């Protein structure tokens, strides 16, 4: 079974071949790269494949393989971390010389499953999208809560109910408490300018996640 590198995004793929693992008696550091070579993440133009073809009748152990790879330049796959029999981390790299390599991507083998590790941009974009969604949800919940007074501007009641049907009752109870215990009240002011700042921040987060769309000014 052979595969060729896919031009599509492989970060959402989980790959495994349990029959191969059973045939070799389980995964080990010595054969994990052979197992990886059957996956769609493998590059058949790599130095590993060239050495594999040259030594198909004279198997190399992992130490010999690493020594041979250090003397070559080009695309390579190496095991950078191991915790057998459950975890191995494999790095795809471009070797420039014996001392210098350029990491290209990272994969991990966990319980016979092979995954592609996400890059920094994907992680940051996902976190920013989650933060944007949370802020949008929060703004939707609070946009109808503030009360406006010509002299005081926007103010928040001390008690806020999650049930919209009881919100009016809570506001009346809050106003009653404000009249009887004015000295204990805390005034939460939120001006129109503050709303504009929050909206601008939200739009900037969205533009970072999707640079192709230019947000309009609120």
């Amino acid at each position: 079974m052979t595969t060729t590198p896919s031009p599509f995004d492989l970060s959402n793929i989980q790959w495994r071949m349990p029959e191969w693992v059973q045939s070799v008696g389980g995964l080990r550091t010595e054969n994990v790269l052979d197992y990886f070579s059957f996956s769609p993440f493998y590059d058949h133009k790599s130095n590993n494949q060239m050495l594999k073809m040259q030594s198909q009748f004279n198997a190399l152990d992992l130490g010999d393989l690493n020594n041979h790879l250090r003397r070559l330049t080009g695309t390579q796959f190496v095991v950078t971390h191991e915790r057998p029999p459950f975890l191995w981390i494999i790095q795809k790299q471009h070797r420039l010389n014996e001392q210098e390599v350029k990491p290209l991507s990272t994969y991990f083998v966990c319980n016979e499953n092979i995954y592609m590790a996400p890059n920094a941009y994907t992680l940051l974009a996902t976190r920013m999208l989650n933060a944007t969604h949370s802020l949008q949800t929060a703004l939707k919940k609070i946009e109808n809560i503030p009360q406006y007074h010509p002299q005081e501007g926007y103010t928040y009641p001390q008690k806020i109910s999650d049930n919209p049907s009881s919100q009016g009752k809570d506001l009346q109870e809050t106003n009653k408490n404000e009249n009887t215990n004015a000295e204990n009240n805390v005034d939460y002011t939120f001006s129109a300018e503050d709303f504009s700042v929050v909206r601008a921040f939200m739009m900037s987060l969205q533009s970072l996640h999707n640079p192709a769309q230019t947000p309009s000014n609120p």
Side-chain angles (χ1 to χ4, degrees):
M1 177 180 178
T2 59
T3 56
T4 56
S6 173
F8 303 104
D9 181 21
L10 300 176
S11 60
N12 296 321
I13 292 179
Q14 171 189 332
W15 185 91
R16 64 180 301 167
M17 187 187 291
E19 60 274 14
W20 189 91
V21 176
Q22 293 178 1
S23 68
V24 297
L27 283 181
R28 300 178 298 277
T29 302
E30 293 76 16
N31 62 17
V32 69
L33 284 176
D34 290 332
Y35 180 58
F36 183 83
S37 67
F38 294 105
S39 73
F41 308 109
Y42 186 69
D43 186 352
H44 285 269
K45 297 180 180 179
S46 64
N47 295 152
N48 299 67
Q49 182 66 17
M50 181 185 66
L51 291 174
K52 184 177 181 180
M53 297 299 295
Q54 293 177 354
S55 60
Q56 56 183 332
F57 301 109
N58 183 20
L60 294 173
D61 61 32
L62 189 61
D64 292 335
L65 175 62
N66 290 335
N67 291 332
H68 283 288
L69 289 176
R70 290 192 187 96
R71 293 194 291 266
L72 298 174
T73 59
T75 302
Q76 303 175 352
F77 293 93
V78 295
V79 177
T80 58
H81 179 78
E82 57 182 280
R83 190 174 292 178
F86 305 111
L87 176 66
W88 290 267
I89 296 179
I90 298 174
Q91 178 176 279
K92 181 180 181 181
Q93 61 188 21
H94 182 81
R95 180 171 290 278
L96 303 175
N97 50 57
E98 290 191 12
Q99 289 78 31
E100 187 177 2
V101 296
K102 178 182 179 182
L104 300 177
S105 55
T106 303
Y107 309 88
F108 55 97
V109 184
C110 183
N111 293 327
E112 302 180 7
N113 299 312
I114 301 180
Y115 309 88
M116 180 178 182
N119 55 34
Y121 171 80
T122 302
L123 285 175
L124 181 60
T126 302
R127 298 293 177 86
M128 296 291 283
L129 181 61
N130 291 339
T132 303
H133 174 72
S134 299
L135 287 173
Q136 287 176 336
T137 303
L139 285 178
K140 288 180 181 179
K141 288 185 177 181
I142 67 174
E143 62 182 356
N144 295 324
I145 295 177
Q147 298 175 333
Y148 178 76
H149 190 276
Q151 294 181 348
E152 299 179 358
Y154 289 95
T155 59
Y156 282 97
Q158 285 184 311
K159 294 183 180 180
I160 300 175
S161 174
D162 292 333
N163 187 358
S165 61
S166 62
Q167 182 174 336
K169 182 178 179 181
D170 291 339
L171 291 178
Q172 293 177 359
E173 185 67 22
T174 301
N175 292 334
K176 181 179 179 181
N177 293 335
E178 288 178 353
N179 294 331
T180 57
N181 301 297
E183 66 278 3
N184 295 325
N185 288 340
V186 178
D187 187 19
Y188 300 94
T189 60
F190 200 74
S191 65
E193 290 78 7
D194 295 329
F195 276 110
S196 299
V197 171
V198 174
R199 290 194 186 98
F201 177 68
M202 294 284 297
M203 299 300 288
S204 65
L205 289 179
Q206 291 177 340
S207 64
L208 285 175
H209 177 69
N210 189 2
Q213 296 181 357
T214 303
S216 57
N217 293 327

